[in-house]
Amino acid sequence: MIRIKQLFIATCLVTFFSGCSSFRGPLYPEVIYNNRQPLISVTYEYGEIQLILPLRYDAAVPDNILFKVFAQGDTLHPVISILQEAPKEFLAYLPQGVLDIQNSTNLIKIIPQDKNFDPITVRFKGISFGRLVLPSKTLRLGQLVVSGNTYFNNNDSMITNVDVSIQNFDNLIYNTSSNESGFYQLAIPGEYRYAEHLRILAGENLIFKSFKKKLDFSNSRKIKLDIGIGPSSDMVEPIYLTNKDNVHFRDGPEIGSKTLFLLKEGEPISVDRVTLGEYFGSIEVEIDNDKRVKMEGWVNRGDLRLVDAHNVYKLSKGN
């Protein structure tokens, strides 16, 4: 009978104290004794949280990553911080009961030690103790962003609904249109940062020649670029536009005169003199990074049309 009572008392004590530990009961720094005969001791062990976050890498891998784990909405004081080489999975051991198990207020900040990557935040709902495996996260090179305003060259007034796109060679990456304030913004994957044939194209839906410019993100991931459309204020009226590609701009009206340029469709020409078959005028040629100079020449009358300043948008097919 005495043996049965001893086993019963020991079982109750173990059950009581182990149950309390799961609810974060009092912390006992030493072994507990009942101070009775026969002597019965109880040991205890608190659980821990094994936190695992699988990682994937797209196009590039940073050398080192700083991980910070925050609990219960506190984003100022991390539970743990770990700086390590880029791993296949992030592994951390946390004290039992430290995480919010009701809501997703816990978070991991992933901070690559490489300016080509942006920090990432992963929010999650915690557990009391045990093993917690989060959904995998992919680290990508930070986006490349180009933004600015679209405006008329002749008076600097904003122009809306201008088609703007980014291309690599002639392959379209992304396109958008400037908004009601003339603002546009394009973001493309960071893998294009060192592409040598990256360019921006704007105004294909306008009657003027499209704006084209090479993009260079090698020194910065963000570029501010305002886009001017049409002739500048230095071009006096009347203004005509070429009505097709490969229009000959020659140094004289005579048959066989030298061709100075082959003009694209929508090239503006400030006409000064008129003959039966030719127009004489000037065009603007861009040199040395946006600097413009005027050049004079002759164009066949059949290759030009007068600018309609009331409608600078191309008509859609069927209209």
Side-chain angles (χ1 to χ4, degrees), residues 251-301:
D251 63 357
E254 302 84 8
I255 296 176
S257 56
K258 181 181 178 181
T259 296
L260 302 174
F261 294 99
L262 289 175
L263 305 179
K264 292 281 190 179
E265 181 181 358
E267 182 77 50
I269 299 176
S270 175
V271 173
D272 184 56
R273 294 201 304 266
V274 179
T275 68
L276 291 177
E278 302 284 333
Y279 282 137
F280 175 79
S282 59
I283 62 173
E284 291 181 316
V285 179
E286 187 176 300
I287 60 172
D288 297 335
N289 297 326
D290 300 333
K291 181 180 178 181
R292 295 189 176 197
V293 297
K294 283 186 177 182
M295 296 197 69
E296 295 181 337
W298 295 83
V299 179
N300 187 292
R301 291 185 64 169

Side-chain angles (χ1 to χ4, degrees), residues 159-180:
I159 179 171
T160 65
N161 196 34
V162 177
D163 290 345
V164 186
S165 64
I166 293 182
Q167 300 178 350
N168 187 32
F169 290 99
D170 289 327
N171 300 317
L172 176 66
I173 301 175
Y174 195 78
N175 67 292
T176 187
S177 297
S178 57
N179 63 17
E180 58 187 12

Side-chain angles (χ1 to χ4, degrees), residues 198-249:
L198 202 64
R199 66 175 182 173
I200 188 169
L201 180 66
E204 287 192 297
N205 61 327
L206 304 180
I207 61 175
F208 301 107
K209 182 181 68 172
S210 300
F211 174 93
K212 296 179 182 179
K213 187 177 180 65
K214 183 178 180 180
L215 295 176
D216 183 4
F217 287 99
S218 59
N219 295 320
S220 175
R221 285 168 43 199
K222 294 184 179 180
I223 295 177
K224 179 71 166 61
L225 178 63
D226 292 331
I227 296 174
I229 302 294
S232 72
S233 57
D234 294 334
M235 299 281 281
V236 297
E237 295 184 349
I239 302 294
Y240 286 76
L241 298 179
T242 53
N243 56 23
K244 62 182 180 181
D245 285 335
N246 298 323
V247 170
H248 290 262
F249 186 73

Side-chain angles (χ1 to χ4, degrees), residues 8-21 42:
F8 176 77
I9 294 172
T11 303
C12 289
L13 288 173
V14 171
T15 302
F16 174 77
F17 286 110
S18 63
C20 287
S21 67
V42 178

Side-chain angles (χ1 to χ4, degrees), residues 2 13 54 59 86-87 113 121 136 138 142 159 185 249 277 280:
I2 295 175
L13 288 173
Q113 305 299 289
T121 298
S136 64
T138 300
I159 179 171
Q185 180 170 288
F249 186 73
F280 175 79

Side-chain angles (χ1 to χ4, degrees), residues 18-287:
S18 63
C20 287
S21 67
S22 65
F23 292 97
R24 300 191 69 189
L27 298 178
Y28 299 100
E30 299 176 356
V31 175
I32 303 170
Y33 297 96
N34 66 350
N35 294 321
R36 295 181 180 180
Q37 295 296 330
L39 187 64
I40 300 174
S41 65
V42 178
T43 60
Y44 58 92
E45 179 180 351
Y46 277 94
E48 61 185 1
I49 302 170
Q50 184 184 32
L51 180 63
I52 299 173
L53 174 63
L55 297 172
R56 298 177 181 175
Y57 302 92
D58 184 19
V61 180
D63 291 333
N64 298 288
I65 301 177
L66 175 62
F67 296 91
K68 292 186 177 183
V69 181
F70 298 86
Q72 304 191 37
D74 181 359
T75 58
L76 297 178
H77 308 95
V79 176
I80 190 171
S81 295
I82 300 175
L83 177 62
Q84 63 181 120
E85 293 184 359
K88 291 184 178 180
E89 66 177 26
F90 169 63
L91 173 63
Y93 292 93
L94 308 177
Q96 174 185 339
V98 72
L99 298 176
D100 185 347
I101 62 174
Q102 301 296 329
N103 303 292
S104 299
T105 63
N106 313 292
L107 60 90
I108 302 172
K109 283 189 178 180
I110 306 172
I111 310 172
Q113 305 299 289
D114 185 327
K115 63 180 181 180
N116 292 317
F117 292 81
D118 290 325
I120 299 174
T121 298
V122 179
R123 293 188 175 274
F124 64 97
K125 183 178 179 180
I127 58 176
S128 296
F129 62 90
R131 190 169 185 262
L132 176 59
V133 181
L134 301 178
S136 64
K137 193 71 177 178
T138 300
L139 273 69
R140 297 180 174 88
L141 290 169
Q143 288 186 319
L144 308 175
V145 178
V146 56
S147 62
N149 296 294
T150 54
Y151 65 94
F152 285 114
N153 281 319
N154 61 347
N155 58 12
D156 293 336
S157 62
M158 295 299 174
I159 179 171
T160 65
N161 196 34
V162 177
D163 290 345
V164 186
S165 64
I166 293 182
Q167 300 178 350
N168 187 32
F169 290 99
D170 289 327
N171 300 317
L172 176 66
I173 301 175
Y174 195 78
N175 67 292
T176 187
S177 297
S178 57
N179 63 17
E180 58 187 12
S181 301
F183 177 78
Y184 77 92
Q185 180 170 288
L186 288 163
I188 61 174
E191 63 192 72
Y192 291 101
R193 181 162 190 178
Y194 299 102
E196 296 182 358
H197 300 281
L198 202 64
R199 66 175 182 173
I200 188 169
L201 180 66
E204 287 192 297
N205 61 327
L206 304 180
I207 61 175
F208 301 107
K209 182 181 68 172
S210 300
F211 174 93
K212 296 179 182 179
K213 187 177 180 65
K214 183 178 180 180
L215 295 176
D216 183 4
F217 287 99
S218 59
N219 295 320
S220 175
R221 285 168 43 199
K222 294 184 179 180
I223 295 177
K224 179 71 166 61
L225 178 63
D226 292 331
I227 296 174
I229 302 294
S232 72
S233 57
D234 294 334
M235 299 281 281
V236 297
E237 295 184 349
I239 302 294
Y240 286 76
L241 298 179
T242 53
N243 56 23
K244 62 182 180 181
D245 285 335
N246 298 323
V247 170
H248 290 262
F249 186 73
R250 304 188 306 274
D251 63 357
E254 302 84 8
I255 296 176
S257 56
K258 181 181 178 181
T259 296
L260 302 174
F261 294 99
L262 289 175
L263 305 179
K264 292 281 190 179
E265 181 181 358
E267 182 77 50
I269 299 176
S270 175
V271 173
D272 184 56
R273 294 201 304 266
V274 179
T275 68
L276 291 177
E278 302 284 333
Y279 282 137
F280 175 79
S282 59
I283 62 173
E284 291 181 316
V285 179
E286 187 176 300
I287 60 172

